[in-house]
Amino acid sequence: MIEALPEWGVPAEQVLAELRELRTADLPTHGGRLFAYVYDPAVPGLDELARAAYALSAHVNGLDPTAFPSLLAMENALVAAAGRLLGGGPGTTAPEVVGSVTSGGTESLILAVKAARDAQPGVANPRLVIPATAHAAFAKAAHYLRVGLDVVPVRELRADPAAMAAAIGPDTVLVVASAPSYAHGVVDPVSDIAAAAAERGVRCHVDACFGGWVLPYLKRLGADLPAFDFAVPGVTSISVDLHKYAYAPKGVSVLLHRDAALRMPQFFAYADWPGYTMINPVISSTRSGGPIAAALATLRHLGDDGYLRLAEQTRDAVRILGDAVRATDGVRLFAPPETSVVCLAAEPEVDLFVLADELAARGWHTQPQLAYGNLPATMHLTVTAAVAATATDFGPDLAAAVAATGARGPVVLPPELLGAAIALTPEQVTPDLIEGLAAGLGLADGGAGPMAAVNSLLNVAPPALREALLAGFLSLLQRPSWGER
Ligand SMILES: Cc1ncc(COP(=O)(O)O)c(C=O)c1O
């Protein structure tokens, strides 16, 4: 246990040594073997640069851009770069693009929904139309903002424009497309969706949080991908995360609007109290300049040419991984690997969750995705440039992992656990029940050991029960240990 407030202060070197020791328990953020959570360009010196830039501005406060013009200049520069990359700026059909720097994709999406909602004060019960493959952050936005959510079934993993158009009603304030979707890495038919929204006078947001910084470069390299940016008429806003394929340290995304009038309802202003008048473009009020400075340093150091090279490496790694999946009996590509994701499914004789554990045991950390609707469980691999160096090692390990999975056989859950997972209602999930389950599954100390049993259990539970179980488990993890004193 680490004590955050010791009686006597601890020397700096010791504190750092302790932090390094804590970090040894984490998955590897570098090295091209972790296919979720992290984005690694493997560019020598980039981490050091970003860290130094972060430190320079860590104590600068984005609360008031007139007090810290350095931050304003950096934010405007990031927005201009993102706008240009995504089809806006001088000489384009979207010359007036503006934007805000947020803390991440979820914040950008919440703000896109807020702007759309508040632009229509006359709509008493505003609604949001999303394809079923849109990121879960839209559900969070709808929940936080009390906006109704219309989830439209997809066709072959992509949004269905006709069904999306049919779902637009008088209360719809925003229609969404993904470029690409996170789970499968495929791009929605943005032009048709945006046209349907524009025809009804409704805003259309393109969620390019995940791929917005790599798709333009993949296109330049010749990838055959649909138009998805401001060049598409009817697209009113786009989000792109710099802490994903722009390879900036965590905490930076950009939300772009086609013009300043569209952005206006995103802002929150409040003067009706005795303190300073609060004008916030984003959800946070006080904001560290650290992530923004680090992002700016990253972009300037890599440059357009650097991102093109990194996209090329990513594309090559995707091809190698995709070929490895095609060449391995027992698994198959579940989605076309057209961007930076490899998504695979397992044949019935291979337990996908055991396979994930077997790959982890060989040093490859993938992201299992639970069965949903008529989609089977799949395995997600976010591929970044660092994977170019490791990709050729994946095929042999995948084959070995599949063989080991076959030898181990599928997870067999005790019938009482299986019965509970199907029959429990979310309301029945109490802290005691969670503690019992965690102990039964060997998760009592929160370690991410073999996860096949947990995933198998969640896989048979309906979504509402999955939510309750995982929320309960998180609550179990997030408890202070009080120590001796
Ligand atoms: C398509 C898409 N949108 C939004 C998000 C949410 O981003 P964040 O985790 O930065 O909040 C993600 C995250 O993976 C994503 O892939």
Side-chain angles (χ1 to χ4, degrees):
M1 187 204 62
I2 187 150
E3 197 175 2
L5 186 62
E7 192 168 0
W8 303 102
V10 173
E13 259 322 304
Q14 187 185 332
V15 174
L16 282 176
E18 291 163 359
L19 291 179
R20 282 190 205 103
E21 169 61 25
L22 270 182
R23 288 275 290 102
T24 60
D26 294 345
L27 291 176
T29 55
H30 293 69
R33 287 174 156 264
L34 172 53
F35 293 114
Y37 313 116
V38 298
Y39 297 78
D40 180 11
V43 171
L46 188 64
D47 275 357
E48 291 74 11
L49 169 68
R51 268 203 288 276
Y54 196 109
L56 267 176
S57 295
H59 292 285
V60 171
N61 193 342
L63 176 66
D64 181 351
T66 62
F68 301 105
S70 69
L71 210 51
L72 180 64
M74 288 189 259
E75 289 198 52
N76 282 338
L78 291 174
V79 167
R84 254 197 310 275
L85 189 65
L86 296 171
T92 69
T93 52
E96 308 290 332
V97 164
V98 295
S100 302
V101 177
T102 74
S103 65
T106 300
E107 185 178 0
S108 289
L109 298 184
I110 291 173
L111 288 170
V113 176
K114 177 199 170 334
R117 184 197 67 174
D118 290 357
Q120 302 273 3
V123 177
N125 298 301
R127 304 192 68 81
L128 170 63
V129 172
I130 63 167
T133 46
H135 195 273
F138 285 108
K140 183 171 175 176
H143 178 75
Y144 278 19
L145 297 167
R146 291 187 187 275
V147 169
L149 191 62
D150 294 313
V151 181
V152 180
V154 297
R155 283 175 70 169
E156 292 176 4
L157 306 179
R158 286 174 223 270
D160 174 352
M164 296 283 289
I168 300 174
D171 293 336
T172 305
V173 294
L174 185 66
V175 175
V176 164
S178 308
S181 62
Y182 177 79
H184 308 119
V186 299
V187 182
D188 284 335
V190 173
S191 299
D192 292 344
I193 294 166
E199 199 174 296
R200 307 287 291 271
V202 175
R203 292 180 182 219
C204 175
H205 180 80
V206 175
D207 178 6
C209 282
F210 179 65
W213 213 269
V214 69
L215 291 190
Y217 293 103
L218 292 175
K219 279 186 142 196
R220 257 203 246 169
L221 292 165
D224 182 19
L225 295 166
F228 72 95
D229 63 14
F230 283 116
V232 177
V235 170
T236 52
S237 56
I238 305 180
S239 49
V240 55
D241 293 355
L242 304 186
H243 62 204
K244 295 195 170 84
Y245 282 97
Y247 296 114
K250 303 274 183 265
V252 211
S253 167
V254 175
L255 171 59
L256 299 165
H257 294 271
R258 191 177 278 274
D259 60 46
L262 286 163
R263 181 179 60 174
M264 219 54 225
Q266 175 195 313
F267 289 6
F268 178 80
Y270 196 76
D272 205 3
W273 75 302
Y276 59 88
T277 297
M278 197 162 87
I279 317 277
N280 292 154
V282 297
I283 295 177
S284 298
S285 205
T286 285
R287 284 190 291 153
S288 169
I292 294 166
L296 188 86
T298 303
L299 262 65
R300 278 192 62 73
H301 187 58
L302 291 175
D304 192 56
D305 167 66
Y307 284 112
L308 189 64
R309 263 182 289 121
L310 292 170
E312 200 170 10
Q313 289 169 20
T314 304
R315 179 200 64 187
D316 293 348
V318 166
R319 281 187 186 156
I320 294 168
L321 299 181
D323 287 347
V325 174
R326 283 190 197 94
T328 308
D329 288 339
V331 289
R332 66 192 154 87
L333 284 173
F334 186 70
E338 65 187 33
T339 59
S340 58
V341 170
V342 174
C343 179
L344 56 111
E347 302 302 348
E349 68 276 12
V350 175
D351 185 315
L352 185 103
F353 301 127
V354 175
L355 177 62
D357 283 353
E358 286 294 334
L359 282 169
R362 288 163 178 78
W364 300 98
H365 305 281
T366 62
Q367 191 171 52
Q369 303 181 133
L370 303 176
Y372 171 75
N374 56 9
L375 304 179
T378 54
M379 186 181 285
H380 169 108
L381 279 65
T382 287
V383 182
T384 60
V387 181
T390 59
T392 50
D393 298 337
F394 183 73
D397 279 344
L398 177 64
V402 168
T405 300
R408 262 175 68 182
V411 168
V412 182
L413 289 171
E416 63 279 8
L417 221 52
L418 199 59
I422 296 165
L424 271 178
T425 64
E427 298 72 34
Q428 289 169 319
V429 178
T430 60
D432 282 349
L433 182 132
I434 291 287
E435 267 190 63
L437 263 182
L441 291 166
L443 294 170
D445 56 7
M451 292 296 288
V454 179
N455 283 323
S456 304
L457 186 74
L458 291 170
N459 199 49
V460 294
L465 183 56
R466 290 175 186 171
E467 292 161 6
L469 290 170
L470 285 173
F473 182 59
L474 182 63
S475 176
L476 194 64
L477 289 180
Q478 293 198 326
R479 290 184 306 183
S481 51
W482 296 107
E484 305 278 292
R485 286 201 296 142

